[in-house]
Amino acid sequence: MVEDLNPFEIAKKQFDTAADLLKLDPDLRDILKTPKRQLIVSIPVRMDNGHIKVFEGYRVQHNIARGPAKGGIRYHPGVTLDEVKALASWMTWKCATVNIPYGGGKGGVICNPKELSKSELERLTRRYTSEIFPIIGPEIDIPAPDVYTDAQTMAWIMDTYSMTKGSTVLGVVTGKPVGLGGSLGRNTATARGCEYVIKEACKVKRLAVKNCQVVVQGFGNAGSYAAEFLQKDGAKIIALSDSKGGIYSKRGIDTAAATEHKKKTGALMELKGTTVISNQELLELKCDILVPAALENQITTENVARIKAKIIAEAANGPTTPGADRLLFEKGIVVVPDILANAGGVTVSYFEWAQDLQGYFWDESEVNNALERVMVRAFKEVYETSVKHRIDLRTGAYVLAVGRVMEATQMRGLFP
Ligand code: NAD
């Protein structure tokens, strides 16, 4: 049977598995499954050649039972409303898994940022911000970076929102530059959080990180720092990739050299001492830890039988399909699910937002120590839930998260 790869269908299936275990009431199930609000906007942008091009953008708020919506903005040609709905719902469960006071949201614009100049990107970002202005704000919905958006994008959003309000509103987005209300440690937080939970998963599998061979797919914010941190922990990085292709070296790849090479040439391929490998081959390499850090639907029923890693830590959102999950669990491969493995980003976003609202900023070690406490506690709670119910870590995380959102929803009651 061909697997359904629609991310929102996958997100609903993952939710249903936990809802069945929790014996969730059907009415409540419908509320928790359905996005609260979906906004579709047109974004006319004056291009550098003088013509106007109209882009389509989205902002989805999945659930706000536990606090304001929170979630990144993605710029990618493959963005769809269903993808944004899936990503928004994963944010709801992610924030509840690590127990921070947010609901879930997500945004996206269908565009290819690699084909846009910096000034076109700025005009697109400012107009998109203006279009979603009525539904964002520090107490409503707080965007952050995701694929192909960064601190500069967040600075433009903050400025556009602030100019419209007439005062500087730092807390409207997170992932901002440090000189502009950003938090120390935010840029590396997704990877740091991933590193912390990988260490916990290694304890479960009785592996020492320093003896591990690691493969990382995707060499952006999440993937490049994850590779760097694991290398610093003594692990050997044997393969890396980006959208153009991958590189492999049995003896190990120096992540600093890979970063430098990518900066110079725009790709990882042809780094000295490495051989070229496709993104598909890379996923199937024999290794201890596989970190998918690019996009959705990378490990599916089609390739799962050939996956040889002992631990998969999902730095990316949605890299594994439910069909593949089942087989990985049967094979004893530990999958640290996205809603836990990449929650470091939103956790430090929460710290950034708290710092902005207080106007009081922390030093980097305070941020990293607080992040480690949150991630280690969340891993323990997820692991204990999975052992108790004899389920995989993803379902364990969902049981924990859906339980928390369910409780908040029941305590609030139905309006009006
Ligand atoms: P990014 O834009 O910084 O990097 C994306 C990387 O993926 C790039 O190196 C790109 O070349 C690579 N890539 C794109 N398509 C690919 C493909 N088909 N095969 C292999 N590599 C490919 O994005 P990011 O912020 O690092 O996000 C990566 C993933 O992590 C996404 O799933 C995102 O939702 C998730 N995530 C990011 C954060 C964060 O704080 N940045 C937080 C949580 C989750």
Side-chain angles (χ1 to χ4, degrees):
M1 202 174 66
V2 184
E3 237 184 333
D4 186 350
L5 295 183
N6 177 312
F8 191 52
E9 293 306 319
I10 290 177
K12 285 193 287 189
K13 206 177 264 181
Q14 291 164 336
F15 166 83
D16 276 332
T17 309
D20 289 346
L21 274 162
L22 286 165
K23 299 192 174 48
L24 209 69
D25 164 76
D27 295 351
L28 199 53
R29 197 184 277 244
D30 275 352
I31 296 176
L32 299 189
K33 226 170 166 168
T34 318
K36 176 190 163 55
R37 193 187 247 164
Q38 304 170 47
L39 181 63
I40 304 177
V41 296
S42 310
I43 311 159
V45 177
R46 174 90 54 200
M47 307 301 279
D48 292 346
N49 65 11
H51 288 291
I52 292 168
K53 194 167 166 188
V54 182
F55 296 86
E56 184 159 297
Y58 311 101
R59 186 74 196 170
V60 173
Q61 293 161 0
H62 172 258
N63 186 291
I64 56 164
R66 287 166 41 89
K70 184 87 191 81
I73 291 171
R74 178 173 292 194
Y75 288 174
H76 195 274
V79 165
T80 63
L81 180 57
D82 268 357
E83 181 188 52
V84 180
K85 280 157 68 177
L87 289 161
S89 72
W90 287 328
M91 286 306 296
T92 301
W93 313 128
K94 187 181 304 182
C95 294
T97 298
V98 290
N99 214 356
I100 56 177
Y102 286 137
K106 203 81 181 191
V109 177
I110 308 170
C111 66
N112 186 350
K114 289 181 187 168
E115 287 172 0
L116 298 173
S117 68
K118 191 170 177 188
S119 54
E120 286 169 341
L121 269 175
E122 177 173 353
R123 289 193 290 277
L124 177 138
T125 301
R126 288 185 181 279
R127 183 60 187 254
Y128 170 65
T129 307
S130 165
E131 295 297 339
I132 65 168
F133 178 86
I135 65 162
I136 60 169
E139 291 170 346
I140 308 170
D141 180 358
I142 307 123
D146 191 73
V147 173
Y148 297 143
T149 54
D150 57 16
Q152 175 63 77
T153 325
M154 297 306 116
W156 290 328
I157 296 177
M158 191 280 275
D159 183 66
T160 307
Y161 186 89
S162 298
M163 294 317 268
T164 314
K165 277 277 178 194
S167 62
T168 295
V169 186
L170 295 178
V172 64
V173 281
T174 58
K176 298 180 294 299
V178 170
L180 205 60
S183 175
L184 291 167
R186 172 60 185 91
N187 196 32
T188 52
T190 303
R192 274 256 179 257
C194 196
E195 178 201 17
Y196 294 146
V197 291
I198 284 173
K199 285 182 175 167
E200 295 305 304
C202 280
K203 287 183 200 160
V204 169
K205 283 295 250 182
R206 296 179 200 283
L207 292 170
V209 179
K210 66 178 170 41
N211 298 329
C212 285
Q213 300 209 331
V214 177
V215 169
V216 181
Q217 183 200 41
F219 201 66
N221 175 280
S224 66
Y225 287 120
E228 182 186 320
F229 297 154
L230 290 168
Q231 179 174 283
K232 282 201 182 124
D233 292 331
K236 192 194 276 183
I237 313 299
I238 58 165
L240 294 170
S241 72
D242 62 16
S243 60
K244 301 203 173 85
I247 52 174
Y248 170 78
S249 166
K250 184 166 78 185
R251 292 204 311 224
I253 302 167
D254 175 29
T255 57
T259 303
E260 193 54 38
H261 183 76
K262 186 163 161 87
K263 210 182 273 170
K264 260 196 215 139
T265 68
L268 287 167
M269 285 186 298
E270 286 169 22
L271 174 68
K272 219 169 132 203
T274 66
T275 52
V276 172
I277 186 170
S278 74
N279 261 299
Q280 271 315 311
E281 290 167 324
L282 169 135
L283 293 171
E284 296 166 16
L285 285 170
K286 185 167 184 295
C287 64
D288 300 294
I289 303 167
L290 170 63
V291 184
L295 297 170
E296 294 94 79
N297 296 332
Q298 299 303 304
I299 304 170
T300 65
T301 50
E302 195 279 315
N303 64 358
V304 66
R306 298 189 295 279
I307 303 290
K308 299 174 198 76
K310 295 179 183 135
I311 295 171
I312 299 175
E314 296 183 334
N317 283 306
T320 314
T321 62
D325 255 338
R326 219 175 15 251
L327 271 145
L328 292 169
F329 187 52
E330 280 166 23
K331 280 167 67 171
I333 298 176
V334 171
V335 180
V336 189
D338 45 9
I339 60 171
L340 172 62
N342 68 37
V346 73
T347 302
V348 177
S349 273
Y350 165 51
F351 299 158
E352 177 175 334
W353 176 75
Q355 292 172 76
D356 288 339
L357 297 188
Q358 275 193 310
Y360 175 76
F361 290 86
W362 312 356
D363 67 34
E364 192 163 353
S365 62
E366 278 180 273
V367 172
N368 288 339
N369 291 340
L371 173 63
E372 185 169 15
R373 278 198 300 277
V374 170
M375 297 303 295
V376 171
R377 183 193 63 208
F379 184 92
K380 287 211 165 94
E381 289 177 341
V382 168
Y383 181 67
E384 280 163 15
T385 310
S386 74
V387 171
K388 184 172 155 202
H389 294 280
R390 295 194 189 143
I391 48 182
D392 60 10
L393 291 180
R394 186 183 321 280
T395 315
Y398 270 82
V399 166
L400 197 64
V402 173
R404 284 175 177 158
V405 180
M406 176 185 79
E407 200 186 340
T409 308
Q410 281 172 330
M411 284 191 291
R412 288 179 67 155
L414 185 67
F415 178 85

